Amino acid sequence: MGITRRTFLKATAITGAAVAGIKAKEPVLKAFAENKNTKAESNGKWVASTCQGCTSWCPVQVYVEDNRVTKIRGNVNSKANHGNICPRPHLAIQQMYDPDRIKVPLKRTNPKKGRKEDPKFVPISWDEALDTIADKLMELRKNHETHKFALLRGRYTEATEIIYKAFPSIFGSPNGISHSSICAEAEKFGAYYTEAMWDYRDYDLAETRYIILWGADPIASNRQVPHAINMWGHVMDNAKLAAIDPRLSATAAKADEWLPVIPGEDGALATAMAHVILREGMWSREFVGDFIDGANHFVPGQTVDEALFVENLTNGVVKWWNLELKDRTPEWAAERSGIPAEQITRVAKEFAAAAPRVISWLSPGTAMQIRGGYSAMAAHALNGLVGSVQNVGGTLGKTKIPANKTPDYKKYQDEIAEHGYHEKKIDRVGTLEYPALKDGKSGGGVVTNAVADSIINEDPYVLKMAIGYWNNWVFSCTGADRWEKALEKLPFFVHITTNPAEMTQYADIVLPAAFHLFERWGVLYNKYNKHGYLTIQQPVVKPLWDVKIDETEVMWLLAEKLAEKGFRNLLDYYTNEFKDPETGKKPTSPEEFALYAVKFYSQPVWDPTIEKKGDQLKGWNELLEKGVWNSEPFKYKAKWEDFGTKTKKFEFYSETLKEALEKHAEKHEVTVDKVMEVTKYLARGELAFVPHYEEPFRHGDEKEFPIIFSEHRSRLNREGRSANTTWYQEFKDADPGDEKWDDVLKINPIDAKKYGVKNGDKVKVSSAFGSIEVKVKEWEGVRPGTAVKCYGQGHWAYGRTASLDYQKKMPRGGNNNELHPSDFERLSASTARHGGLTRIKIEKI
C-alpha cells in the first residue's frame, strides 16, 4: 500500500517475483537500481499473448522467467497498438498471482443461499465436480426439460461458440445468454440504423482535424486506449477537441472545448448541431448532395420541398430537416442541455469547417439511456452530414479478417435437443416489450439483464440450471439485488471463475478458470488504427493451481462425462469437427482440444496455401511466435457505393429502421406507435424513423431526489475485474477527482454547500431503489446539480483487497448498480445506466 508512482514502472518489471514471493535475479534489480541503459542478464524470454482488459484485445508480449510472468509490453508486431499498451495489462500480472484466486473445484455444503449466508465451500476433485454437473444435465434430458438450462456468458474469446452456442444447442436449449447488452448495444444501434454497421467504429486519428467526444474518454476508458494514448499528442497538435461530458474527464481536461452537458441531454446538442450545419450550408455536397438551384433552403422553422434537393450518397436529409431539425435551434438546445447557444454554434461550425477530416465519436454515455437509441443515431448522423463516414480523418469500418467459422452443429441435435432448442428464450427477447433489433431483426439481440426477472417471475418458465463463466452479474448488472434474488431461487448454478466474485457466492459448484492472458489458449479478432487483426493467447506459464480453460478444456471434460452417462453427441461434435488443421488428428484430451480449436479458427491467417491480403505467414509456428496477423490498411470510402442499408445509402431517414420496427409491430399485431409507447419512447409517426431528440427518462421524484447521478469508468478497470489488486487501489487517483484506496462521490462545491456536506464527509447516497455509503469529494470538475461516481468499487465478495473486510462481506465503498434500477434502451435491449438514469439524495452520516 506504500508504493509510489515513481516505483510503479520498476515494479511492473518484476511483478511476478514480487507477488508470488519469488526472488528476482540480482542483475535485473541491479540494472534498475543503477538506471543504466544496458540490458540486464536474464534467462527469460518474450512470449506473445493477448490482453482482454477491455474490448480492444490488444496483442501483447509477456516476459517469462523461471515459469513466472515478470513483465508485459505491447506486441511489436502489431500495427493496431503501435507495440504499446495502456496501464491495464500491467495489472493483469497482479490478477494472475492474486492469492485470493479459486485454486481447485469447490462444492457448496450450505443449501441456503443469500448475501449473508456462508456457502461453506469445500474442495473437491474435477471428477466429482463434473460428475455432479453431468448428472444435473442428464436429469433435464430425462425429463425433456433441456430448455430449462441456460449458459450465461461474460467476456470471451472467438472460441466462445464451443461453449456458448454449440453446447446449449446440442444439449437442447435456446438459452445462450451473452453479456453484450450490458455493454453497449445501444451505441451500435446508432451506427447500424444509419450505415448498417452493428459494431464499434474505428477512427482515423492520424488524419483527423476535429473531434467531438460524446461522453468518450479516449485516453482513459475507450476501446482503443493504447492507440489513443500513442496518438493524442499528434491529435492535439493537429486537431481541435470538444468534450461533451458532465465530468471533467482526462480527455476533457486536454480539450479545446468542454461542454458539461446535463446528463441525458446529448440528443438536444446533436440535433442542434445538425441544425446549425444545415442552416449555415456547411454540409458535404460530395456525400449528401445539394439543392438544384444551388441556394440554401434550410431556413429555421420552415419546411423544405424534397423535390428541390438531389441527394448523392444519403437518404432523407430533407425529411430529417422537416420532421426534426428545423426547430432544433442552439437556443432551444441551450435551455435543455445547459450549454450556451453560442458554444453549441461554435462547435458545430468548427466541426463542419474541418470536414471531412472530423469525428463525431459516439460512446455508451450518449447511448445507454432509456431513450438513448435516437441520441446515438443523432450523434453518428453528424458524420454523415459532413461526409466523414469511412473517409480520411473520419470514422472507419472494418477490414476483413480471414478466420474459420464454427462448424455446423445441427446434425448433432437429437429429437430431445431439437424440441428444447425451439422453446422460448429465457430473456424474452423479441417480445413486444423487448424488440432487441440487432441487425434489423426483431429479437436479433439479447436482453441480458432481464434474465434475473425471468427467473424470479418464472416467465416464460422455471429455469432449473445455469452455468456462468467469466461474469459477475450480481455486481455488474443494474438492479443488482434482483440477481441476488434470482440466484437464491435458481436450483442449481455452476460458476466458472478466477476469483470468488459476488456471483460465485450463489454457486453450487465452482470451477477454477485459467487466467485469460497467461494460462490459456485463445484466439481473438479486432480492429483499430486502420488495421484489422487476429491475435492469439497461449499459455505462457504453467498454472500454479488446478485450473482449466473455460471455453475448451472444461467443455471437453464435461462432454466426456455426458458420454459416460449415455449422451455422447457433444463429445462426437468436439472430436469430429475440431481436428488439428496441420495433421488431421482428432483431439483425445482437453489440452489437445484447446490447442486444435485455436489452430482451427485461426488457420486462414497462418496457412500459406490459403490466399489472403495482409501479413503472409509461413505457418502455425510463425503465428505462435509473432502472436498477431495484421490486415491491409482500411480503404477509405469502401462502402460508399453500398452501405448495406435498405436504400444502400447512409440513412438520415432510416428505411432500415422503419422496416425493422414495422416487422416487429406486425409480429405482435400492433402499430409502430404502440411499439414506441411500450418501449418508453415519445416519438410517434415518421419521427420514429429519423434521429431525433427525446426527453431523458429519469427514475426518482425530483423533490425527494434532487441530484442527477452520473457514472464513469476507470482507466484501471480491467472489465471490472481489477479491484482486488493493490495497484488498482493505490493508483485510483489517476482517474480525475478520485482518491486512492477509497470510493468517492464527486460533487461540485456549490452543491456541497447547498446540501451541508464537505470534503471527506461520509454520506449515505440513496435512490428510489437502494443506498450505498461513500465519502464526499468536492470537485469543480462536476457540473452543479449532478453527482459523479466511478464504477468499480463496492465489492463485498471479490477478495481481501477489493473489500474492506472480505470475511465480514464489508465493501470498499459502494456499487453503483445498487442505486440504479433495472431498465433498458429497449429497441437495442441495452441496459440503461447513463444519461442521468437515476436521481439521488445525499445524507451526512
Side-chain angles (χ1 to χ4, degrees):
M1 291 175 62
I3 194 170
T4 66
R5 294 183 187 279
R6 181 174 294 178
T7 59
F8 178 67
L9 290 177
K10 293 183 181 181
T12 61
I14 54 172
T15 309
V19 177
I22 307 300
K23 185 178 180 181
K25 290 185 177 293
E26 186 177 346
V28 177
L29 296 176
K30 187 176 181 181
F32 277 117
E34 295 178 358
N35 198 25
K36 289 183 177 179
N37 209 7
T38 58
K39 186 176 181 180
E41 298 176 16
S42 173
N43 62 352
K45 62 178 180 179
W46 289 101
V47 185
S49 192
T50 306
C51 176
Q52 286 188 267
C54 73
T55 53
S56 292
W57 297 343
C58 283
V60 299
Q61 291 178 325
V62 181
Y63 197 72
V64 180
E65 187 173 11
D66 296 334
N67 196 44
R68 292 293 184 272
V69 175
T70 62
K71 190 175 182 180
I72 191 167
R73 69 184 183 189
N75 190 325
V76 296
N77 300 305
S78 171
K79 294 180 180 178
N81 65 358
H82 313 270
N84 295 317
I85 52 175
C86 73
R88 294 186 181 100
H90 297 295
L91 293 168
I93 306 176
Q94 284 199 335
Q95 286 182 283
M96 164 75 164
Y97 294 112
D98 184 349
D100 294 328
R101 278 184 62 179
I102 304 290
K103 301 172 178 65
V104 296
L106 302 172
K107 177 176 70 175
R108 184 185 202 91
T109 60
N110 178 8
K112 192 173 181 181
K113 297 181 180 181
R115 183 188 286 212
K116 296 181 179 180
E117 294 294 330
D118 182 353
K120 296 183 179 179
F121 289 126
V122 296
I124 57 174
S125 68
W126 274 95
D127 186 70
E128 181 183 348
L130 292 162
D131 198 58
T132 303
I133 297 167
D135 280 342
K136 293 292 183 179
L137 289 167
M138 292 303 293
E139 183 178 338
L140 292 179
R141 280 189 59 82
K142 179 182 177 181
N143 296 329
H144 293 259
E145 295 180 319
T146 55
H147 61 290
K148 296 182 179 180
F149 164 78
L151 192 288
L152 311 178
R153 178 183 78 171
R155 181 51 60 215
Y156 55 90
T157 74
E158 297 298 343
T160 182
E161 291 194 357
I162 290 170
I163 181 174
Y164 171 62
K165 288 190 175 180
F167 167 41
S169 299
I170 293 171
F171 176 70
S173 174
N175 293 318
I177 305 296
S178 175
H179 82 289
S180 56
S181 66
I182 300 173
C183 194
E185 296 302 270
E187 176 185 338
K188 299 173 186 175
F189 182 93
Y192 185 82
Y193 288 108
T194 49
E195 63 164 312
M197 183 172 68
W198 194 278
D199 201 352
Y200 305 123
R201 279 73 49 215
D202 190 10
Y203 304 101
D204 191 7
L205 297 183
E207 300 295 337
T208 197
R209 296 296 176 265
Y210 203 103
I211 303 177
I212 300 177
L213 299 160
W214 297 92
D217 190 8
I219 61 174
S221 62
N222 83 104
R223 297 176 178 84
Q224 303 178 2
V225 176
H227 175 46
I229 291 174
N230 190 77
M231 292 297 299
W232 219 246
H234 171 85
V235 170
M236 292 174 65
D237 287 343
N238 293 278
K240 280 194 171 184
L241 305 172
I244 300 170
D245 200 318
R247 172 184 72 107
L248 187 68
S249 66
T251 307
K254 300 178 181 297
D256 298 275
E257 302 264 4
W258 178 35
L259 292 80
V261 65
I262 296 173
E265 296 287 359
D266 308 78
L269 289 179
T271 52
M273 289 180 185
H275 172 99
V276 170
I277 291 169
L278 292 176
R279 181 191 72 189
E280 299 295 326
M282 299 181 75
W283 70 87
S284 168
R285 269 66 177 176
E286 176 192 19
F287 192 73
V288 180
D290 204 359
F291 288 102
I292 296 172
D293 59 6
N296 183 7
H297 295 274
F298 291 123
V299 178
Q302 298 182 18
T303 58
V304 175
D305 184 352
E306 291 182 42
L308 297 177
F309 198 97
V310 178
E311 286 187 85
N312 289 339
L313 303 175
T314 64
N315 180 72
V317 67
V318 176
K319 283 185 178 179
W320 188 24
W321 172 267
N322 291 340
L323 288 167
E324 171 68 7
L325 298 182
K326 63 183 177 62
D327 299 317
R328 300 309 189 207
T329 65
E331 291 73 21
W332 166 87
E335 292 179 5
R336 288 154 181 80
S337 67
I339 304 301
E342 56 269 24
Q343 188 176 27
I344 298 171
T345 302
R346 181 173 63 250
V347 169
K349 291 173 69 172
E350 289 182 354
F351 174 79
R357 296 172 181 256
V358 298
I359 296 168
S360 178
W361 192 315
L362 177 60
S363 81
T366 301
M368 290 181 68
Q369 308 172 16
I370 292 174
R371 296 170 178 158
Y374 290 102
S375 297
M377 286 181 71
H380 189 60
L382 294 177
N383 293 306
L385 208 53
V386 298
S388 67
V389 177
Q390 305 210 5
N391 206 349
V392 57
T395 65
L396 309 179
K398 57 185 176 183
T399 56
K400 185 177 181 180
I401 299 172
N404 282 330
K405 294 182 178 179
T406 301
D408 183 33
Y409 39 77
K410 290 183 180 179
K411 64 182 178 181
Y412 293 91
Q413 290 179 315
D414 61 16
E415 187 176 344
I416 294 175
E418 186 74 22
H419 174 77
Y421 179 75
H422 287 98
E423 288 282 351
K424 294 179 180 178
K425 283 193 70 174
I426 192 69
D427 62 341
R428 291 169 287 147
V429 68
T431 59
L432 178 60
E433 186 180 9
Y434 298 111
L437 300 176
K438 179 181 179 181
D439 293 334
K441 178 184 176 183
S442 172
V446 60
V447 199
T448 312
N449 206 15
V451 172
D453 303 303
S454 296
I455 295 173
I456 294 169
N457 299 324
E458 300 180 1
D459 179 17
Y461 43 76
V462 176
L463 194 69
K464 292 189 173 181
M465 178 180 177
I467 296 176
Y469 85 99
W470 213 338
N471 57 355
N472 187 20
W473 296 346
V474 172
F475 183 86
S476 61
C477 283
T478 56
D481 64 308
R482 298 156 38 261
W483 276 100
E484 294 185 34
K485 294 174 183 176
L487 293 178
E488 286 174 19
K489 185 172 184 177
L490 185 65
F492 191 77
F493 177 55
V494 179
H495 201 206
I496 311 173
T497 183
T498 55
N499 277 65
E502 283 76 9
M503 204 164 180
T504 316
Q505 306 305 308
Y506 299 87
D508 297 276
I509 296 290
V510 183
L511 300 179
F515 189 73
H516 68 275
L517 205 163
F518 306 124
E519 296 179 326
R520 66 176 293 150
W521 286 108
V523 59
L524 299 123
Y525 327 136
N526 216 325
K527 64 181 183 304
Y528 65 97
N529 190 27
K530 297 189 285 188
H531 287 86
Y533 57 93
L534 180 149
T535 177
I536 63 166
Q537 292 172 338
Q538 58 182 309
V540 302
V541 293
K542 295 179 180 179
L544 292 176
W545 300 298
D546 191 12
V547 299
K548 305 290 183 187
I549 302 173
D550 40 31
E551 294 171 336
T552 49
E553 291 181 339
V554 173
M555 281 296 97
W556 177 273
L557 292 169
L558 183 56
E560 286 185 325
K561 278 293 180 184
L562 290 170
E564 290 175 11
K565 297 176 185 298
F567 179 67
R568 61 172 302 110
N569 299 40
L570 191 63
L571 184 62
D572 286 344
Y573 173 72
Y574 292 158
T575 302
N576 296 332
E577 304 296 339
F578 288 91
K579 301 173 185 177
D580 184 343
E582 288 186 299
T583 66
K585 183 178 180 296
K586 293 183 178 181
T588 59
S589 68
E591 294 78 15
E592 287 183 346
F593 179 54
L595 173 60
Y596 295 174
V598 171
K599 293 177 73 173
F600 167 79
Y601 283 112
S602 63
Q603 181 187 5
V605 306
W606 57 257
D607 189 336
T609 67
I610 299 177
E611 186 177 347
K612 66 189 73 67
K613 295 180 180 179
D615 291 351
Q616 299 298 313
L617 302 179
K618 297 176 182 178
W620 165 251
N621 288 335
E622 187 172 5
L623 176 61
L624 204 61
E625 179 184 352
K626 290 188 173 180
V628 61
W629 172 89
N630 303 284
S631 75
E632 288 186 319
F634 179 82
K635 292 182 180 179
Y636 297 124
K637 304 182 180 180
K639 288 176 62 179
W640 276 28
E641 292 184 2
D642 184 356
F643 276 98
T645 59
K646 188 171 175 59
T647 63
K648 298 186 179 181
K649 297 183 177 184
F650 187 97
E651 296 184 340
F652 299 120
Y653 183 94
S654 182
E655 295 286 354
T656 306
L657 179 56
K658 181 179 181 180
E659 182 180 64
L661 285 170
E662 286 178 344
K663 285 185 176 180
H664 183 72
E666 183 181 349
K667 174 181 174 181
H668 296 285
E669 299 180 338
V670 298
T671 64
V672 170
D673 281 355
K674 184 62 176 179
V675 172
M676 300 305 290
E677 177 188 341
V678 171
T679 57
K680 298 187 179 181
Y681 274 104
L682 302 176
R684 300 293 184 267
E686 288 193 298
L687 191 61
F689 311 136
V690 299
H692 65 269
Y693 170 74
E694 290 269 347
E695 181 182 339
F697 188 109
R698 308 195 198 282
H699 283 280
D701 180 77
E702 185 175 359
K703 291 182 180 179
E704 183 178 359
F705 303 100
I707 305 171
I708 298 174
F709 182 70
S710 181
E711 68 174 33
H712 65 96
R713 296 297 184 266
S714 170
R715 71 176 67 196
L716 304 180
N717 199 332
R718 288 182 48 80
E719 293 274 2
R721 299 178 180 90
S722 48
N724 204 50
T725 67
T726 57
W727 285 348
Y728 175 89
Q729 301 294 346
E730 181 66 22
F731 298 109
K732 192 65 190 65
D733 57 348
D735 298 309
D738 278 5
E739 297 288 336
K740 61 179 65 179
W741 292 95
D742 212 341
D743 193 20
V744 295
L745 183 76
K746 299 180 282 288
I747 62 174
N748 194 282
I750 294 173
D751 290 323
K753 184 176 180 180
K754 181 178 180 180
Y755 297 108
V757 295
K758 63 181 183 301
N759 206 49
D761 282 351
K762 192 171 183 179
V763 295
K764 179 181 180 181
V765 182
S766 302
S767 72
F769 306 94
S771 63
I772 59 175
E773 294 182 0
V774 295
K775 290 181 181 177
V776 164
K777 175 66 179 290
E778 294 184 62
W779 191 49
E780 293 84 352
V782 180
R783 180 186 179 88
T786 66
V788 178
K789 183 176 169 298
C790 188
Y791 166 80
Q793 299 281 43
H795 281 285
W796 53 270
Y798 201 64
R800 71 193 75 183
T801 303
S803 308
L804 276 178
D805 191 320
Y806 177 57
Q807 298 300 325
K808 295 181 180 179
K809 299 180 181 179
M810 291 174 56
R812 184 183 300 280
N815 180 6
N816 297 358
N817 288 325
E818 295 184 28
L819 297 174
H820 288 313
S822 173
D823 214 331
F824 302 84
E825 197 293 314
R826 295 168 189 267
L827 296 184
S828 66
S830 181
T831 293
R833 62 171 76 249
H834 294 301
L837 165 73
T838 309
R839 288 187 170 277
I840 62 168
K841 62 181 177 182
I842 56 176
E843 302 167 280
K844 187 175 179 180
I845 297 176

